[in-house]
Amino acid sequence: MVGIENKISGNVMECLLFLLESPRITDDSCKRLSRNYPSREEYEQDMRVADCLRRFIDEMPGGFFIYHADGDEEIVYANEAMCRILECGSLSEFRQLTGNSFRGIVHPDELEDVEKSIWTQIQNSQYDLDQVEYRAVTKNGGVRWIDDYGHFIRSDITGNVFYVFAGDVTEKKLQQMKMVELLRQENDLREKKLHQIIDEYDQELKLVNQEHLRGLETIEGLSIDYESIFYVDLDQDLITAYRVSSRFIEDFPEDHLVHTFTGFDTPYISNWVHPDDRQLLRAVTQPDYFRAKLSEDNSFHINYRIIQDGKIRYMQMRIVNVGSSEHISQIVLGYRSVDAEIVQEIQQKQTLEETLRIANKAIKAKDLFLSNMSHDIRTPMNAIVGFAELAQKHIQETDKVKEYLGQIQTASGQLLSLLNDVLEISNLESGESLIEETKCSLMEIAHQVQMDILSKAAAKNITVSLDVFNLMHDNVYADRPKLSQTLLRLVDNAVKYTNNNGNVTVTVEELESPQDGFVDYLFRVEDNGIGIGRDFLSQIFIPFEREKNTTLSGMYGSGLGLAITRRFVEMMGGRVDVSSTVGKGSVFTVRISLRIDEDGPLFSEELQMQSESSYMEPKRILIVDDNEINLEIEYEVLKDVGYLVETAEDGSIAVEKVRQSSPGYYDLILMDIQMPVMDGYSATKAIRQIENPVLAGIPIIAVSANAFEEDKRMAIESGMNAHLAKPLDTPRLYKLIRKFLKEAKHSKHHVI
Ligand code: ADP
């Protein structure tokens, strides 16, 4: 357009416009146009050029149209190509479609923007040019995209007009839009992908953070036992404290956690570490040592001791390589207390050593047993074989044969008891032996034991006394065979290991009053025999163990008796103990809780009397009471069980009787408190003041209707030995009397 304009003069353009608009150009305007020319030839020349142009424009393939820039923007001309773009067959169809106005070409939605743009461009254009793009609606209702290059031309003759070259850029535009859409889609896709990547990254970051946090928690958890933790960079010779115990706190205050590694532990070593371990710790805490050890393994530890509150405590330093294994520089040091573990280890070691010692001892004991057994079997076997031969030789001599047969009988008895013991212990070890409780009388069991041992004891002239009087509950549920065997074995040993003319005492005692139907009983077997060495006491219940002195003395035995005894007692839920002094004698005690049989008969008077008489010659008791009935009751109760009894009607008579008696005549006094002439307190005081110490020391038991604590206190203060309340509790009376008579017997013994 610009090119055309340059070549074509302004008159040609007016001529062209004239020609294009000719149907509406008046003669007047024609005259005005020709009048602008100096000559007719020039006018005709331009008209010819314009005509050529018009024809060219008419036939050119691109759209071209002219419209008035003013008023209704009326269309002056549109070429065929332009009409085709809007699918019009002729210019008149075109005019009809567009309402013969530029405004009819542009899509109404865009018109305002398009016109604004055109005028803005024209105002700013040096050559009055503009370029706009818009949609146009075709005759068939379709939409085409128009690329519009306009030229604003001022003309006096035709008025101001726009020359417009219009191209149909619909395909290009659609292509472009398609491209834009594709680009947008691609963009969306990219954006989506980007978001996805960001999301994934966020997710990964979250996981990494969680992992990191878990890692930190794990480290924190794993290092919980460590009271101090340090990170060390050996290359830089730096140490950073992460956690410090009170032992490091002075060297690593909170505001100064980074230090030079070399010598960081010097104060710690000299303040805390055991002097014997200081050198070790100094030698270990060296970069070269760390590097050498960590090149073999990723971590190692050393144990050492510290001294805290004057006590030794065990510590451990663990060194871990946390950096490269090729170049060792970054390490972690952890300090922790291993006191409990080491102490436990030491204890375990001690226990193991003890177990080993016991096991070795058991093996030795078994070896000893085997050699004892062969000795123990051989001895009676020798006797049997030897005496049988002798008997055969002297078959005619009745006395001798009788003696040999007796020896054979003793030896067979020994063999039998050995076999029984071995059998019993194997039964116990196999768990075949069980507890079977039946109703039984403890008194009766004790008497049976006394009977069983009688002949053995008599052979050595040993007295076996029985003290069962304190028993309030004689009838119990117990495994009778095991209980009597237990007692018999203890009594048998007592007799066996006591020299001729010795004493053995068996006591059965109730320790406490019944609880939930059970009573704690104490069985005591005491002898004044050879005694047991202190060293052997701890082994006495171990199977096959016998003390040297017993084996050397040739006393027959297997070393199984006490082992069996202990197993029996433990099976019955009790315990057996021993105390002994060499040369003085031994005391074996068995403590068992037994269920009592409340409905069982009271122990028989006969048994009681028997037991009493087995260790007691008759004792004389003086009863002091002003009440005749009381006197009579007490008299009968005491006479019944074999005491010699005398009476006095008041305190003064009693004092006189004692004063006149020879020492030892009265063994005990039962004293009433409230009496005419002289009361019990005064009488006691008077007796205690008698010159002869034996008479003054006679045991006095108060028997009074007043049972308050105050009365008891006054009785004791006046010099009496005990206080009993009326009405009399006979078993308790017997018990007290026996207690004092026994004590008196012992003290007499001491005096002598
Ligand atoms: P045995 O009497 O068959 O040797 P025991 O197991 O009954 O076996 O006793 C083991 C050892 O205990 C005896 O060999 C003896 O050395 C010692 N012993 C047991 N009772 C007494 C006692 N009353 N006095 C001294 N020593 C005793």
Side-chain angles (χ1 to χ4, degrees):
M1 182 87 184
V2 174
I4 293 172
E5 196 185 29
N6 284 345
K7 278 186 191 159
I8 303 167
S9 71
N11 290 337
V12 173
M13 290 307 282
E14 284 202 339
C15 288
L16 178 63
L17 191 63
F18 180 80
L19 286 178
L20 289 174
E21 222 184 12
S22 58
R24 290 173 52 200
I25 288 194
T26 56
D27 288 346
D28 180 43
S29 58
C30 196
K31 269 179 203 156
R32 270 198 293 139
L33 178 67
S34 58
R35 236 184 277 137
N36 283 348
Y37 284 87
S39 67
R40 180 142 185 107
E41 284 79 33
E42 278 177 63
Y43 167 69
E44 282 177 357
Q45 171 71 23
D46 275 4
M47 274 304 241
R48 271 197 300 278
V49 173
D51 190 44
C52 272
L53 275 175
R54 187 186 60 85
R55 267 187 275 133
F56 169 73
I57 286 167
D58 256 349
E59 286 164 17
M60 72 180 186
F64 177 79
F65 64 94
I66 301 166
Y67 68 93
H68 282 282
D70 319 308
D72 291 338
E73 297 179 345
E74 185 189 341
I75 290 171
V76 176
Y77 168 77
N79 72 353
E80 270 183 33
M82 187 62 205
C83 293
R84 260 199 317 275
I85 289 172
L86 294 196
E87 294 168 347
C88 296
S90 63
L91 184 58
S92 60
E93 267 184 24
F94 183 83
R95 287 188 195 281
Q96 202 178 347
L97 175 71
T98 58
N100 203 29
S101 167
F102 173 68
R103 287 172 198 153
I105 298 174
V106 183
H107 193 288
D109 291 352
E110 292 165 29
L111 183 62
E112 197 181 331
D113 289 343
V114 168
E115 290 207 312
K116 211 185 265 174
S117 172
I118 290 169
W119 285 114
T120 312
Q121 287 182 53
I122 297 299
Q123 272 162 17
N124 296 321
S125 169
Q126 193 184 348
Y127 304 108
D128 293 338
L129 296 175
D130 74 87
Q131 190 270 322
V132 284
E133 201 177 75
Y134 47 80
R135 282 174 296 163
V137 181
T138 66
K139 190 184 160 199
N140 299 324
V143 172
R144 308 301 297 177
W145 280 92
I146 310 290
D147 191 15
D148 166 325
Y149 290 90
H151 186 195
F152 179 65
I153 291 176
R154 290 171 181 82
S155 167
D156 293 337
I157 302 160
T158 54
N160 296 338
V161 289
F162 273 106
Y163 278 42
V164 178
F165 284 91
D168 183 350
V169 291
T170 306
E171 302 312 319
K172 203 170 116 193
K173 191 73 189 175
L174 288 177
Q175 195 70 19
Q176 199 181 12
M177 277 164 63
K178 213 168 159 187
M179 282 300 284
V180 168
E181 178 60 18
L182 272 175
L183 277 175
R184 199 186 54 76
Q185 280 179 2
E186 206 168 298
N187 228 25
D188 280 357
L189 211 68
R190 268 205 206 121
E191 206 167 306
K192 221 166 140 188
K193 238 181 188 159
L194 201 67
H195 276 296
Q196 201 176 333
I197 290 171
I198 290 171
D199 281 352
E200 279 171 10
Y201 175 77
D202 277 352
Q203 196 63 23
E204 213 161 292
L205 196 70
K206 218 164 129 188
L207 284 176
V208 167
N209 277 344
Q210 277 175 357
E211 193 59 31
H212 187 60
L213 205 70
R214 250 205 310 276
L216 283 178
E217 282 168 359
T218 311
I219 291 169
E220 186 67 18
L222 286 175
S223 64
I224 198 144
D225 290 339
Y226 288 83
E227 55 178 45
S228 301
I229 299 175
F230 301 97
Y231 167 78
V232 181
D233 191 325
L234 295 175
D235 285 354
Q236 295 197 40
D237 194 26
L238 283 179
I239 181 163
T240 310
Y242 282 117
R243 187 187 297 160
V244 283
S245 75
S246 54
R247 287 184 269 275
F248 273 111
I249 200 89
E250 276 180 32
D251 307 313
F252 286 88
E254 224 162 271
D255 54 347
H256 190 50
L257 295 174
V258 185
H259 268 267
T260 303
F261 168 66
T262 307
F264 84 97
D265 56 353
T266 309
Y268 172 75
I269 291 178
S270 48
N271 290 339
W272 293 97
V273 177
H274 189 288
D276 293 352
D277 291 347
R278 286 178 190 164
Q279 193 48 40
L280 165 81
L281 219 61
R282 279 190 203 109
V284 167
T285 325
Q286 294 296 330
D288 287 348
Y289 185 81
F290 282 167
R291 286 196 171 106
K293 284 290 280 183
L294 291 173
S295 62
E296 293 164 11
D297 210 337
N298 214 30
S299 87
F300 71 97
H301 70 265
I302 60 146
N303 291 342
Y304 60 96
R305 291 161 298 172
I306 59 166
I307 296 177
Q308 189 175 335
D309 304 330
K311 280 189 196 150
I312 290 183
R313 299 202 186 279
Y314 295 88
M315 295 290 295
Q316 185 175 84
M317 171 168 68
R318 179 164 282 282
I319 302 95
V320 184
N321 180 17
V322 290
S324 147
S325 54
E326 268 85 57
H327 177 77
I328 295 160
S329 172
Q330 290 149 323
I331 59 171
V332 167
L333 301 185
Y335 291 77
R336 70 181 185 121
S337 163
V338 284
D339 206 56
E341 293 159 39
I342 300 263
V343 167
Q344 198 186 359
E345 224 170 79
I346 290 171
Q347 277 169 355
Q348 267 172 359
K349 209 172 146 200
Q350 279 171 351
T351 315
L352 281 178
E353 279 170 2
E354 181 62 15
T355 315
L356 188 69
R357 198 183 62 77
I358 291 171
N360 281 337
K361 252 187 112 185
I363 292 168
K364 272 192 199 148
K366 228 166 201 164
D367 287 348
L368 193 68
F369 163 70
L370 285 177
S371 74
N372 277 350
M373 274 288 276
S374 76
H375 168 264
D376 294 343
I377 293 175
R378 212 172 284 279
T379 314
M381 278 306 284
N382 278 345
I384 292 168
V385 173
F387 285 117
E389 267 175 26
L390 282 174
Q392 229 161 18
K393 239 189 213 169
H394 301 278
I395 197 84
Q396 303 304 338
E397 301 162 59
T398 327
D399 284 352
K400 275 192 180 169
V401 170
K402 222 178 181 177
E403 189 203 325
Y404 298 150
L405 284 176
Q407 296 285 9
I408 288 171
Q409 224 165 11
T410 310
S412 323
Q414 287 173 352
L415 263 182
L416 197 66
S417 89
L418 181 69
L419 283 177
N420 282 341
D421 279 0
V422 172
L423 214 67
E424 188 69 70
I425 203 104
S426 96
N427 267 350
L428 283 168
E429 272 173 11
S430 68
E432 274 172 31
S433 183
L434 299 169
I435 290 290
E436 282 174 39
E437 288 186 348
T438 52
K439 277 186 192 181
C440 46
S441 150
L442 294 178
M443 190 89 131
E444 195 259 315
I445 291 174
H447 272 283
Q448 191 55 52
V449 168
Q450 195 186 28
M451 288 300 121
D452 290 348
I453 205 70
L454 220 58
S455 63
K456 262 192 193 171
K460 292 174 81 174
N461 196 28
I462 291 172
T463 328
V464 179
S465 317
L466 200 57
D467 181 354
V468 284
F469 318 117
N470 293 353
L471 276 188
M472 303 290 287
H473 304 89
D474 173 45
N475 294 292
V476 293
Y477 289 89
D479 188 318
R480 194 187 189 290
K482 288 199 173 61
L483 187 56
S484 48
Q485 255 211 61
T486 300
L487 285 180
L488 189 59
R489 280 178 189 277
L490 294 178
V491 176
D492 188 64
N493 274 353
V495 171
K496 188 152 97 180
Y497 300 113
T498 296
N499 295 327
N500 287 359
N501 309 316
N503 290 311
V504 173
T505 313
V506 181
T507 318
V508 187
E509 211 182 304
E510 281 187 35
L511 293 180
E512 277 165 20
S513 34
Q515 266 184 356
D516 302 329
F518 280 79
V519 170
D520 270 359
Y521 290 94
L522 186 79
F523 301 86
R524 200 177 134 95
V525 177
E526 184 173 0
D527 64 56
N528 58 353
I530 62 171
I532 304 156
R534 193 192 288 263
D535 292 347
F536 184 66
L537 271 183
S538 57
Q539 301 159 40
I540 199 160
F541 296 107
I542 300 174
F544 318 124
E545 290 278 346
R546 300 193 75 207
E547 198 175 14
K548 262 214 178 81
N549 61 355
T550 40
T551 47
L552 289 178
S553 69
M555 266 179 254
Y556 188 77
S558 63
L560 290 174
L562 286 180
I564 295 171
T565 303
R566 183 160 79 171
R567 296 290 289 273
F568 276 179
V569 173
E570 284 173 356
M571 282 174 82
M572 290 186 280
R575 56 171 294 165
V576 54
D577 291 292
V578 58
S579 65
S580 182
T581 313
V582 174
K584 289 208 165 155
S586 314
V587 182
F588 284 82
T589 54
V590 173
R591 203 182 157 134
I592 313 181
S593 176
L594 293 172
R595 186 155 63 92
I596 51 173
D597 173 20
E598 312 259 19
D599 309 326
L602 278 175
F603 48 78
S604 70
E605 293 278 294
E606 182 201 356
L607 279 176
Q608 192 178 337
M609 290 295 289
Q610 273 177 18
S611 330
E612 199 166 347
S613 56
S614 66
Y615 83 99
M616 220 180 63
E617 67 256 28
K619 300 285 175 190
R620 186 170 287 103
I621 296 172
L622 177 63
I623 310 172
V624 191
D625 203 315
D626 63 322
N627 183 311
E628 249 180 63
I629 298 171
N630 281 349
L631 266 185
E632 208 176 314
I633 294 170
E634 287 171 26
Y635 184 89
E636 289 303 324
V637 162
L638 293 177
K639 224 177 113 250
D640 260 8
V641 288
Y643 292 110
L644 303 171
V645 189
E646 287 189 17
T647 58
E649 287 76 36
D650 69 52
S652 68
I653 300 170
V655 175
E656 222 27 60
K657 278 197 154 185
V658 172
R659 208 191 295 274
Q660 301 303 326
S661 71
S662 53
Y665 179 78
Y666 291 119
D667 293 290
L668 189 136
I669 301 169
L670 290 186
M671 181 80 79
D672 186 23
I673 302 291
Q674 279 181 357
M675 288 179 292
V677 188
M678 187 187 270
D679 68 12
Y681 301 134
S682 312
T684 304
K685 280 180 193 156
I687 291 170
R688 293 292 181 239
Q689 275 160 17
I690 296 173
E691 244 175 62
N692 186 299
V694 177
L695 296 180
I698 296 173
I700 303 175
I701 300 172
V703 180
S704 153
N706 303 336
F708 294 111
E709 280 305 310
E710 178 68 7
D711 300 304
K712 286 183 192 167
R713 191 181 54 76
M714 278 172 63
I716 301 298
E717 274 175 10
S718 69
M720 299 192 197
N721 300 76
H723 180 280
L724 267 182
K726 286 180 192 169
L728 273 179
D729 173 350
T730 318
R732 206 165 141 64
L733 174 69
Y734 290 151
K735 199 168 153 182
L736 265 181
I737 291 175
R738 274 196 304 275
K739 181 171 175 260
F740 287 116
L741 290 183
K742 238 192 212 174
E743 279 176 10
K745 184 179 158 195
H746 287 295
S747 63
K748 253 189 247 169
H749 181 73
H750 280 302
V751 171
I752 293 159

